[in-house]
Amino acid sequence: QVQLVESGGGLVQAGGSLRLSCAASGSTFSNDAMGWFRRAPGKERDLVAVINRSGSSTYYADSVKGRFTISRDNAKNTAYLQMNSLTPEDSAVYLCAARRGAWAWSPSTTEYDYWGQGTQVTVSS
């Protein structure tokens, strides 16, 4: 049973930073592409950033490019999302997801097999 547990969310002022973590268990983490997505109230679940199995390739939504950085530590079975220069528009539940057995990332939510419960990020103005 694959489990993904996010942490690191919270309340931060605009312009601040947060680092989210996604701890994986129950699978060979290094075999999976990973992604961060977010869901704001009344909106669909949207892509934030994705990373391939080795960490050599990443992709970002235009809205976060240059501010957010996705990374992974396969030795620790953990993926990260460093978020800088946060704005109120970044407020959402952030979820990590695993694309089981996949080398490459995908920007599509439907390509991910396992999802965490999410961590709330709230940015005040």
Side-chain angles (χ1 to χ4, degrees):
Q1 181 83 12
V2 177
Q3 280 196 314
L4 302 174
V5 179
E6 302 95 336
S7 61
L11 174 64
V12 64
Q13 288 190 329
S17 298
L18 284 174
R19 189 194 196 202
L20 306 183
S21 298
C22 173
S25 62
S27 71
T28 304
F29 179 75
S30 58
N31 285 349
D32 302 339
M34 299 295 295
W36 285 98
F37 298 81
R38 66 187 180 187
R39 185 176 61 237
K43 294 189 177 180
E44 297 289 323
R45 188 167 46 185
D46 291 329
L47 167 75
V48 177
V50 289
I51 189 167
N52 72 346
R53 183 189 293 181
S54 70
S56 62
S57 176
T58 59
Y59 178 82
Y60 297 90
D62 287 343
S63 59
V64 307
K65 207 172 292 184
R67 299 187 299 122
F68 291 11
T69 303
I70 188 172
S71 62
R72 64 189 297 159
D73 185 337
N74 287 346
K76 294 183 178 180
N77 290 353
T78 303
Y80 304 97
L81 185 68
Q82 177 66 43
M83 307 187 294
N84 299 329
S85 302
L86 286 160
T87 73
E89 289 68 36
D90 295 315
S91 296
V93 174
Y94 283 71
L95 307 106
C96 74
R99 193 178 184 215
R100 191 81 187 271
W103 169 261
W105 48 259
S106 169
S108 172
T109 59
T110 62
E111 296 290 329
Y112 289 80
D113 304 294
Y114 298 97
W115 293 81
Q117 292 296 310
T119 185
Q120 176 70 48
V121 171
T122 303
V123 185
S124 63
S125 57

